[in-house]
């Protein structure tokens, strides 16, 4: 099975091509082809996983050579896959959650005339995402990186008949390009200092490289990661990306693609090992984003945008853990996996609510849905308990470890990072409970024509499976540190570090804050009436509702100067370059004019050009050759 | 005086004989098959079958070649892997070209005039059109051209090289003149091509005479031996070498011997442009390589002045002038001039790697060129009454093509990206290996210019892509352009798309094949 991992990329890619080429003929069966293609990747991934479990820890890294891309020369480019516990974890997560979401989409997109194209894009995404995590070089990773960006762009703008949706897609695309520049520069730095861009060579040579090189490379990789993972300062696109169909938000913008940045950081661990400064920046960006996302989440009334803010915040936790170094890598990936389950589950729940409420997304128009949609209520509730970090649900096992790890260290750093993680937990509890209570509890605030109903089984079954994962996966993987041991061949074995505070104190403080958050939210949004229009609010709330004015900042700092720069460039281009070109063309035609008048016929002028050119060339050769000393 | 019959090894000549034989048979068919429609089918079949058969024979020879190769016709010609590689490349271009020649619009209109011998706009022309005449001679003419080009790649004697040059040039002059629409433009292009071609042939012949005068022979090997015995600067040899090279650079379309390119490309029927652009460039490059490496290798350092000057001029002029073109075929013509410059970059200092890099470069370039012109044949103007007119070659007419025909526009975008050398297309790998070859001889300033020129050139390729996909069809122009569906042209587009993608993503097998082609039987180099 390990050698068959290329099928993971080939099968969904082929299915995607078939769906795109088949046209409307594929309408009756296209969506099932998509489901089968995605399901088969899970089967292959599971086979590879079982085979790898049978191997010793040292042998759990398997290289699959695909083909020599450009053989020979100084830059030898091979395309190959790297199958190890880290990439297999992603393969299983992407293929499993991906397949569930494919099934869900069959029902969710039932009335869309372009359903087959939607599945073609979903398959394309799965192929690109698997290529991203399986690549054995930064270059091939970049191909996958661009591929998921393309799929994300196509899917956000899937309903591009609405101009604002198309704009959202464009925004995601542009912001991601900014991040991509980071990856390109990082690859350039690697090629300049190590002469290669494949993982094996780069990571083997990294310990000998200078700190400056590694810091620069690390910061550039971080820039790439912030773009893809919606971290500060490139986070602004994620909220708008919710314009895409809800299954897309669940798969791409919650469970998988947005976590690619975390994968990149963890995969590049050997580079960050030699660059403590870059590592600190990663942790700081994570800590900042987790608070920022939580604050935005507090104020959003749009259920999908509130979930998006929460995603941003949770990925902040992962970034924070990844920035802590080896002590945090395993927990970053652990939280990534549990988050993949409970956040995808909640997004599907939100989709189910929208399905029953005629695409209403304003939580002020929900309320009391627990009676109308029991399955959705329970599955969403399990996801809610998981993200809160209530024991024994999944999120507790992963998030609590990150908070503990954040308190490890010396000086002020553990207090700042740990404090941020701790406060973030309390904020998370408040805004997620607010979301949950506003949607499922309190009084019904539906508009007159809404008749909420439970969704069909094709939608609820994936939600139930994800809810089971939200509930028990964390416990299952945390027992006996199974997950950490599984990842050890990649992240390395880590001695236990003692946090600056005793672990029971941290745990109690976290749970107290969480309880406080839930209680506050219940008082305000569960027990009390929620107004159907947003009340006028303090400056802070307004700021949070507007994504902390990130768009305005972008406009002021990047867009306006950018526009001016472009205008200047266009002007300069028109005046100088075009002018020069025009002048040159003019000069050419004027020369031709002169020649024509003298020669009385254009062919002759051509012949004259040849002759004059020949004379010049002979002159150059003779001149060049007759320089006696320079003959080599 | 007794005449000694030369020993002729027929087997190595088989591919050339098949093609030229088929051309002769084609002329006979021309005389004996009366119905134009039948003639067209028979000649198309004959062309494709003979070209494919010749390619198959060449492939078999490649596989069974003894040692480095065979000397044929008493040293007039050598058949080595280098020659066979070029012959196969040219045969592929020829077969794709023949398919394009036969392509017709939905209304049954072909690219060629119904009767070449009448003046445009006369009553005779109208009559010929109404009677359904067809100039099916284009197929045998193309076969003659292919045969001449195949000889051109393997000849090792200056006089025979000249003969081969004329064998493939004369049919091309005629083909250029046979456009169905805008016939004056076509005639003008053909006449210019012919006159300047004759001029360049004269230069070539004069150069050959000078070399003969200096070395006493026209055979490549003995010319090279003659050059080696001369010490110091011999003006006779130097001018001879420069003149011979100039004749070949004319066929390559390099500055300052490029003036015919835009007019001939624009005036010629588009299928002819496609074939000519791909195959002539390949043949010229092959001959340039053979002359450089077998006859003039002793002058490598002296001639590098020529190569550098011409390469830089071609890249700069081709790129800069293409930027201001508004006519599509002219734009591609200037782009081909820039590509001639890129080809010469690989030749700088005569590196051994160029022998394997350039066949790949030309294969990737030729496929993209054939594909791009095949797309052009299908984008047509539409008259007031809905009839399909000639090709829409003004850039503005291509606005919004991506919405109208996404597949065709997508294919065109792929070819343009390949011209620009964007990764994952064949053009990228081609440029990569070509520039690597130049780097191996330390010609990095030239490579630097080449990289800058490719970056600038990307601008006008991308401009067309932006026009096709991101610009809306102008108001009131919705019906001015129509996309015609010709199955044969579509087939050519499909084949070339597959080729460009495959060569871009998995170039390994083809590159290693050409690696074997990098050995010349008589080469002083490599």
């Amino acid at each position: 099975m390990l050698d068959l991992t290329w099928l993971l990329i080939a099968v969904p890619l082929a299915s995607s091509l078939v769906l795109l080429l088949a046209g409307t003929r594929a309408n009756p069966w296209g969506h099932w082809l998509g489901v089968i293609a995605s399901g088969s990747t899970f089967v292959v991934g599971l086979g590879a996983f079982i085979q790898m479990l049978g191997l010793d820890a040292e042998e759990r890294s398997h290289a699959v050579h695909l083909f020599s891309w450009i053989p020979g020369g100084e830059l030898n480019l091979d395309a190959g896959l790297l199958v190890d516990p880290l990439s297999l974890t992603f393969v299983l997560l992407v293929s499993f959650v991906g397949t569930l979401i494919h099934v869900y989409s069959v029902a969710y997109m039932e009335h869309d005339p372009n359903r087959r194209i939607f599945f073609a894009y979903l398959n394309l995404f799965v192929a690109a995402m698997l290529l991203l995590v399986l690549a054995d070089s930064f270059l091939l990773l970049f191909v996958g990186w661009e591929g998921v960006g393309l799929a994300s762009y196509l899917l956000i703008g899937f309903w591009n008949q609405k101009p604002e949706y198309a704009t959202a897609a464009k925004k995601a695309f542009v912001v991601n390009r900014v991040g991509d520049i980071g990856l390109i520069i990082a690859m350039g730095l690697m090629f300049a200092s190590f002469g290669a861009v494949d993982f094996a060579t780069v990571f083997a040579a990294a310990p000998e490289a200078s700190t400056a090189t590694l810091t620069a490379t690390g910061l550039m990789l971080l820039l790439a990661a912030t773009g893809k993972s919606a971290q500060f300062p490139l986070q602004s696109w994620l909220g708008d990306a919710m314009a895409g169909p809800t299954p897309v938000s669940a798969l791409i913008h919650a469970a998988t693609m947005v976590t690619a940045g975390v994968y990149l950081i963890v995969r590049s661990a050997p580079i960050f090992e030699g660059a403590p400064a870059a590592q600190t920046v990663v942790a700081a960006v994570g800590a900042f984003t987790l608070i920022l996302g939580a604050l935005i989440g507090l104020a959003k009334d749009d259920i999908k945008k509130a979930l998006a803010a929460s995603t941003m915040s949770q990925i902040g936790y992962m970034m924070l853990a990844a920035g802590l170094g080896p002590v945090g890598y395993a927990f970053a990936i652990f939280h990534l996996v549990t988050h993949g389950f409970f956040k995808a589950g909640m997004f599907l729940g939100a989709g189910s609510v929208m399905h029953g409420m005629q695409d209403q997304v304003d939580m002020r128009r929900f309320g009391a849905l627990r009676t109308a949609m029991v399955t959705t209520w329970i599955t969403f509730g399990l996801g809610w308990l998981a993200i809160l970090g209530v024991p024994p649900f999944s999120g507790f096992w992963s998030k609590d470890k990150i908070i503990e790890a954040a308190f490890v260290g010396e000086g002020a750093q553990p207090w700042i990072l740990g404090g941020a993680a701790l406060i973030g937990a309390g904020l998370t509890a408040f805004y997620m409970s607010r979301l949950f209570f506003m949607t499922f509890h309190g009084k019904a605030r539906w508009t007159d024509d809404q008749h909420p109903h439970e969704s069909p089984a094709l939608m609820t079954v994936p939600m139930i499976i994800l809810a089971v994962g939200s509930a028990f996966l964390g416990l299952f993987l945390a027992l006996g540190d199974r997950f950490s041991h599984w990842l050890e061949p990649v992240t390395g074995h880590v001695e236990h570090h003692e946090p600056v505070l005793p672990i029971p104190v941290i745990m109690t403080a976290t749970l107290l804050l969480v309880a406080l958050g839930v209680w506050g939210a219940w008082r305000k949004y569960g027990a009390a009436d929620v107004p159907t229009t947003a009340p006028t609010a303090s400056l802070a709330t307004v700021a949070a509702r507007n994504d902390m004015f990130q768009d305005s900042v972008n406009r002021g700092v990047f867009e306006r100067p950018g526009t001016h720069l472009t205008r200047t460039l266009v002007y300069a281009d028109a005046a100088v370059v075009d002018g020069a070109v025009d002048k040159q063309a003019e000069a050419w035609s004027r020369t031709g004019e002169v020649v024509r008048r003298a020669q009385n016929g254009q062919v002759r002028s051509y012949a004259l050009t040849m002759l004059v050119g020949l004379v010049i060339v002979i002159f150059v050769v003779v001149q060049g050759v007759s320089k006696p000393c320079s003959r080599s | 005086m007794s005449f000694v019959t030369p020993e002729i090894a027929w087997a190595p000549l088989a591919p050339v004989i098949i093609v030229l034989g088929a051309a002769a048979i084609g002329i006979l068919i021309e005389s004996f098959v009366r119905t134009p429609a039948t003639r067209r089918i028979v000649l198309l079949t004959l062309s494709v079958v003979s070209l494919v058969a010749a390619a198959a024979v060449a492939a078999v020879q490649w596989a069974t070649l003894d040692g480095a190769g065979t000397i044929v016709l008493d040293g007039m010609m050598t058949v080595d892997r280098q020659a066979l590689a070029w012959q196969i490349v040219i045969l592929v271009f020829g077969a794709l070209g023949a398919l394009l020649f036969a392509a017709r619009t939905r209304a049954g209109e072909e690219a060629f005039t119904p009767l070449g011998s009448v003046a445009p706009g006369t009553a005779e022309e109208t009559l010929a059109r109404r009677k359904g005449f067809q100039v099916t001679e284009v197929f045998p003419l193309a076969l003659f051209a292919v045969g001449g080009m195949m000889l051109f790649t393997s000849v090792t004697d200056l006089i025979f090289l000249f003969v081969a040059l004329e064998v493939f040039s004369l049919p091309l002059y005629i083909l250029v003149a046979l456009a169905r629409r805008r016939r004056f433009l076509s005639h003008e292009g053909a006449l210019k091509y012919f006159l300047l071609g004759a001029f360049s042939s004269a230069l070539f012949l004069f150069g050959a005479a000078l070399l003969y005068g200096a070395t006493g022979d026209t055979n490549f090997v003995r010319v090279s031996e003659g050059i080696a015995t001369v010490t110091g600067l011999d003006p006779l040899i130097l001018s001879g070498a420069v003149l011979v090279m100039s004749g070949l650079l004319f066929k390559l379309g390099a500055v300052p011997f490029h003036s015919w390119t835009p007019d001939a490309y624009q005036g010629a029927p588009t299928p002819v442009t496609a074939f000519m652009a791909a195959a002539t460039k390949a043949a010229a490059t092959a001959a340039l390589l053979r002359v450089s490496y077998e006859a003039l290798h002793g002058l490598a350092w002296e001639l590098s002045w020529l190569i550098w000057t011409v390469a830089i001029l071609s890249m700069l002029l081709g790129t800069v002038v293409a930027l201001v073109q508004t006519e599509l075929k002219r734009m591609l013509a200037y782009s081909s001039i820039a590509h001639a410059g890129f080809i010469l970059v690989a030749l700088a200092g005569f590196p051994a790697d160029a022998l394997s890099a350039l066949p790949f470069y030309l294969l990737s370039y030729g496929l993209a060129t054939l594909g791009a012109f095949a797309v052009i044949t299908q984008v047509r103007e539409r008259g007031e009454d809905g009839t399909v007119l000639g090709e829409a070659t003004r850039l503005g007419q291509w606005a919004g093509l991506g919405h109208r025909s996404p597949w065709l526009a997508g294919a065109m975008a792929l070819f343009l990206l390949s011209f620009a050398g964007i990764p994952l297309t064949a053009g990228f790998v081609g440029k990569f290996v070509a520039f690597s070859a130049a780097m191996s001889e330390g010609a990095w300033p030239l490579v630097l210019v080449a990289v800058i020129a490719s970056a600038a050139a990307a601008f006008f390729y991308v401009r067309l892509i932006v026009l096709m996909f991101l610009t809306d069809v102008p108001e009131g122009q919705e019906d001015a352009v129509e996309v015609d569906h010709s199955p044969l042209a579509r087939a050519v587009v499909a084949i070339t798309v597959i080729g460009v993608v495959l060569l871009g993503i998995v170039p390994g097998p083809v590159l290693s094949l050409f690696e074997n082609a990098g050995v010349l039987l008589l080469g002083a180099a490599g």
Side-chain angles (χ1 to χ4, degrees):
Chain A
M1 263 318 185
L2 286 177
D3 284 317
L4 289 179
T5 34
W6 60 272
L7 281 173
L8 290 170
I9 299 151
V11 170
L13 192 65
S15 154
S16 164
L17 282 179
V18 168
L19 288 175
L20 282 177
L21 291 174
T24 48
R25 259 163 292 171
N27 273 343
W29 45 264
H31 42 285
W32 291 115
L33 177 68
V35 172
I36 291 167
S38 175
S40 67
T41 60
F42 179 65
V43 173
V44 175
L46 199 64
F49 174 67
I50 291 167
Q51 192 182 347
M52 189 162 277
L53 280 184
L55 297 173
D56 288 338
E58 302 81 54
E59 294 166 3
R60 287 184 182 174
S61 177
H62 187 80
V64 182
H65 178 76
L66 292 182
F67 55 83
S68 298
W69 191 12
I70 299 177
E74 286 173 23
L75 179 60
N76 214 339
L77 296 178
D78 281 352
L81 303 180
L82 174 66
V83 188
D84 64 1
L86 180 59
S87 56
L88 258 190
T89 306
F90 268 87
V91 167
L92 290 176
L93 176 71
V94 172
S95 59
F96 184 70
V97 177
T99 306
L100 288 179
I101 291 172
H102 273 73
V103 173
Y104 178 94
S105 308
V106 171
Y108 191 85
M109 301 296 287
E110 194 176 355
H111 302 297
D112 196 295
N114 290 323
R115 182 163 61 165
R116 70 193 144 75
I117 300 193
F118 181 79
F119 275 87
Y121 292 165
L122 274 190
N123 274 187
L124 174 69
F125 169 76
V126 170
M129 186 72 202
L130 292 176
L131 178 65
L132 194 166
V133 296
L134 283 168
D136 73 344
S137 69
F138 282 97
L139 193 68
L140 201 59
L141 179 145
F142 185 68
V143 175
W145 187 269
E146 289 300 303
V148 293
L150 172 70
S152 158
Y153 168 75
L154 292 170
L155 285 165
I156 295 172
F158 188 71
W159 288 320
N160 59 10
Q161 54 271 40
K162 291 197 184 172
E164 67 263 34
Y165 287 8
T167 312
K170 223 180 272 177
K171 183 173 176 184
F173 196 76
V174 171
V175 176
N176 268 295
R177 285 294 78 68
V178 177
D180 292 347
I181 292 171
L183 193 48
I184 293 172
I185 297 177
M187 280 196 284
L189 285 169
M190 284 174 213
F191 187 66
S193 27
F194 311 125
V197 290
D198 63 290
F199 293 155
T201 319
V202 170
F203 296 159
E208 276 93 57
S210 71
T211 316
T213 313
L214 291 177
T215 307
T217 315
L219 287 176
M220 284 302 124
L221 289 173
L222 175 64
L223 179 64
T226 55
K228 200 54 99 191
S229 291
Q231 298 293 291
F232 183 80
L234 297 179
Q235 85 283 15
S236 64
W237 62 273
L238 188 62
D240 295 292
M242 294 302 125
T246 306
V248 172
S249 315
L251 177 61
I252 300 185
H253 305 120
T256 55
M257 184 192 85
V258 283
T259 57
V262 181
Y263 170 79
L264 184 68
I265 304 282
V266 174
R267 179 56 89 192
S268 316
I271 291 175
F272 284 96
E273 285 311 296
Q279 235 169 6
T280 311
V281 178
V282 173
V285 165
F288 187 77
T289 315
L290 88 87
I291 297 286
L292 184 79
L295 288 176
I296 293 174
L298 286 176
K300 287 287 180 190
D301 287 336
D302 179 321
I303 186 168
K304 284 181 73 180
K305 293 204 170 170
L307 283 174
S310 150
T311 304
M312 200 188 287
S313 168
Q314 296 298 311
I315 295 173
Y317 272 106
M318 300 170 209
M319 277 291 178
L320 168 60
L324 295 173
V327 65
Y329 290 145
F331 302 137
I333 302 297
F334 189 17
H335 193 53
L336 194 156
V337 171
T338 57
H339 174 259
F341 274 81
F342 61 69
K343 186 55 67 61
M346 282 193 282
F347 259 112
L348 295 190
S352 173
V353 169
M354 287 161 61
H355 193 74
M357 297 288 280
Q358 294 169 344
D359 287 334
Q360 177 66 270
V361 288
D362 187 356
M363 294 191 291
R364 294 186 181 277
R365 283 291 173 187
F366 293 160
L369 286 174
R370 69 178 184 285
T371 46
M373 317 172 92
V374 179
T375 317
T376 307
W377 174 55
I378 295 173
T379 53
F380 202 104
L382 288 172
W384 168 64
L385 290 170
I387 195 173
L388 256 49
V390 176
F393 298 102
S394 287
F396 168 74
W397 303 101
S398 51
K399 190 152 76 172
D400 204 58
K401 291 286 185 198
I402 293 180
I403 299 175
E404 279 170 27
F407 273 107
V408 174
E410 287 165 5
Q413 183 190 320
W415 296 101
I416 297 170
L417 295 182
L422 199 59
I423 294 167
L427 289 173
T428 306
F430 183 80
Y431 74 79
M432 283 311 296
S433 305
R434 171 180 178 269
L435 187 156
F436 187 66
F437 295 147
M438 276 174 94
T439 307
F440 293 101
H441 293 264
K443 293 202 184 75
R445 301 176 298 275
W446 314 333
T447 47
D448 294 337
D449 52 345
Q450 282 172 332
H451 310 285
H453 54 85
E454 189 53 270
S455 303
L458 273 179
M459 287 169 70
T460 50
V461 170
M463 285 156 57
I464 293 168
I465 296 172
L466 287 174
V468 171
S470 314
F472 304 116
L473 185 69
L475 176 65
F476 176 75
L477 292 178
L479 275 184
D481 284 336
R482 275 183 198 157
F483 193 74
S484 309
H485 288 311
W486 158 250
L487 279 184
E488 246 168 35
V490 182
T491 57
H493 181 73
V494 185
E495 292 304 316
H496 184 70
H497 290 275
E498 212 48 46
V500 286
L501 281 172
I503 290 177
V505 174
I506 299 176
M507 207 181 284
T508 316
T510 314
L511 290 176
L512 269 179
L513 274 173
V514 167
L516 201 65
V518 175
W519 179 72
W522 174 254
R523 281 288 304 272
K524 199 151 184 257
Y525 300 101
D529 286 344
V530 179
T532 50
T533 50
T536 45
S538 65
L539 185 66
T541 317
V542 173
R545 277 183 195 151
N546 288 308
D547 298 322
M548 296 297 171
F549 299 122
Q550 179 67 31
D551 281 340
S552 315
V553 172
N554 280 352
R555 213 165 292 139
V557 178
F558 301 111
E559 195 177 317
R560 286 228 192 89
T563 318
H564 285 300
L565 184 66
T566 329
R567 274 198 206 130
T568 319
L569 282 181
V570 168
Y571 175 75
D573 186 58
V576 182
V577 181
D578 283 4
V581 172
D582 289 349
K583 285 275 150 51
Q584 194 197 348
E586 233 172 77
W588 276 112
S589 44
R590 223 179 297 141
T591 320
E593 208 59 42
V594 171
V595 174
R596 191 179 311 154
R597 223 172 298 143
Q599 290 291 323
N600 193 20
Q602 224 182 355
V603 189
R604 296 188 194 176
S605 89
Y606 287 178
L608 190 70
T609 318
M610 279 173 66
L611 199 62
V612 171
L614 185 67
V615 171
I616 292 173
V617 167
I618 291 181
F619 179 75
V620 168
V621 173
V622 172
Q623 275 297 306
V625 173
S626 54
K627 274 189 211 145
C629 55
S630 51
R631 167 124 204 188
S632 59
Chain B
M1 177 172 160
S2 66
F3 180 75
V4 186
T5 326
E7 193 77 9
I8 296 179
W10 292 104
L13 286 171
V16 180
I17 292 174
I18 291 174
V19 173
L20 290 179
I25 295 172
I27 295 291
L28 289 178
I29 291 173
E30 199 58 48
S31 318
F32 291 107
V33 181
R34 304 288 303 218
T35 351
T38 329
R39 219 160 57 208
R40 173 174 161 271
I41 301 288
V42 172
L43 284 171
L44 172 64
T45 319
L46 176 77
S47 309
V48 174
V49 167
S50 64
L51 290 168
V52 171
V57 172
V60 170
Q61 287 185 3
W62 170 291
T64 57
L65 199 66
D66 256 359
T70 324
I71 299 178
V72 194
L73 295 174
D74 198 19
M76 296 283 260
M77 190 176 156
T78 50
V79 177
D80 48 18
R81 287 218 165 79
Q82 173 79 8
L84 288 171
W86 284 110
Q87 288 185 359
I88 293 172
V89 168
I90 288 169
L91 285 165
V92 169
F93 294 165
L96 290 172
L99 290 178
L100 264 189
F101 276 28
R104 292 201 285 191
T105 66
R106 223 172 326 177
E109 181 186 300
E110 67 245 322
F112 301 97
T113 174
L115 197 58
S117 54
V118 295
T122 53
E124 289 90 340
E125 193 193 22
T126 321
L127 187 69
R129 184 166 299 169
R130 214 178 48 235
K131 291 243 178 186
F133 283 12
Q134 287 183 22
V135 184
T136 43
E137 289 94 335
V138 292
F139 293 102
L141 283 173
L143 286 178
F144 276 123
V146 170
M149 288 172 187
M150 288 166 71
L151 284 177
F152 206 49
T153 62
S154 36
V155 159
T156 45
D157 186 283
L158 287 172
I159 298 301
F160 198 9
L161 190 67
F162 176 71
V163 173
L165 179 101
E166 293 303 316
V167 168
F168 84 76
S169 295
L170 291 172
L172 284 179
Y173 300 144
I174 305 172
L175 284 170
V176 171
L178 290 178
R180 185 178 193 92
R181 295 179 180 278
R182 291 194 274 190
R183 289 191 59 200
F184 281 120
L185 206 63
S186 176
H187 285 181
E188 187 188 330
L191 193 66
K192 281 179 183 166
Y193 188 22
F194 169 68
L195 289 174
L196 295 173
F199 186 37
S200 84
S201 294
L203 294 181
F204 176 88
L205 217 48
F206 185 37
L210 290 182
L211 283 180
Y212 176 74
T215 62
D217 210 318
T218 55
N219 184 288
F220 286 2
V221 180
R222 285 189 284 278
V223 166
S224 118
E225 285 162 8
I227 290 172
T229 57
V230 179
T231 48
L233 185 67
D234 184 342
L236 217 55
I237 287 180
L238 209 54
S239 345
V242 171
L243 285 168
V244 164
M245 294 289 267
S246 305
L248 300 176
L249 289 171
F250 174 85
K251 288 293 165 199
L252 190 66
V255 177
F257 314 104
H258 66 287
S259 339
W260 59 277
T261 325
D263 288 318
Y265 274 36
Q266 188 189 9
T270 307
V272 174
T273 314
F275 168 69
M276 189 167 83
T280 312
K281 241 188 192 46
T285 310
L288 209 53
L289 279 172
R290 203 169 276 281
V291 169
S292 308
Y293 285 69
E294 288 188 350
L296 305 176
H297 192 260
L299 300 172
W301 184 79
E302 287 84 350
L303 286 179
S304 69
W305 289 89
L306 169 80
I307 305 273
W308 278 58
T309 316
V310 174
I312 291 176
L313 284 178
S314 302
M315 291 187 288
L316 292 187
L317 188 127
T319 306
V320 169
V321 183
L323 285 173
V324 295
Q325 291 304 311
T326 54
E327 217 272 357
L328 201 52
K329 282 166 86 177
R330 285 187 88 86
M331 189 187 97
L332 290 183
Y334 281 105
S335 136
S336 90
I337 293 172
H339 277 277
F342 296 140
I343 291 167
L344 289 175
V345 167
L347 212 63
F350 298 165
D353 288 350
L355 288 170
S356 50
L358 283 177
F360 187 91
Y361 188 98
L362 267 296
L363 180 63
S364 64
Y365 171 76
L367 285 178
T369 304
L370 275 159
F373 282 109
V375 173
I376 292 177
T377 60
Q378 295 176 63
V379 182
R380 297 279 179 151
E381 285 172 344
R382 181 153 48 183
E384 297 277 312
D385 52 348
T387 49
V388 179
L389 301 176
E391 287 143 7
T393 51
R394 269 186 298 117
L395 277 185
Q397 292 173 312
W398 283 54
L401 191 74
H403 307 296
R404 215 183 303 233
S405 181
W407 287 107
L408 206 61
M412 188 69 181
L414 176 74
F415 300 136
L416 292 170
L417 292 177
S418 185
F419 287 143
I422 305 294
L424 292 182
T425 60
F428 168 73
V429 185
K431 281 213 172 77
F432 187 86
V433 290
F435 295 172
S436 305
M439 288 297 275
S440 71
E441 277 296 313
W444 64 265
L446 197 55
V447 173
L448 194 68
V449 176
V451 170
I452 293 171
S454 348
F459 175 75
F460 59 82
Y461 299 125
V462 172
R463 188 179 55 180
L464 181 56
I465 296 177
V466 168
L467 199 64
M468 287 192 298
F469 286 98
L470 301 180
T471 315
D472 289 325
V473 185
E475 285 289 318
Q477 297 288 304
E478 288 84 359
D479 295 328
V481 172
E482 175 169 321
V483 176
D484 194 76
H485 295 262
S486 154
L488 283 173
R490 288 275 155 127
V492 172
V493 173
I495 295 169
T496 47
V497 163
I498 293 170
V500 168
V501 170
L502 275 187
L503 289 181
I505 297 176
V506 274
V510 179
L511 275 178
S512 52
L513 270 184
F514 284 145
E515 203 92 344
N516 297 333
V519 186
L520 291 168
L521 180 57
L522 309 170

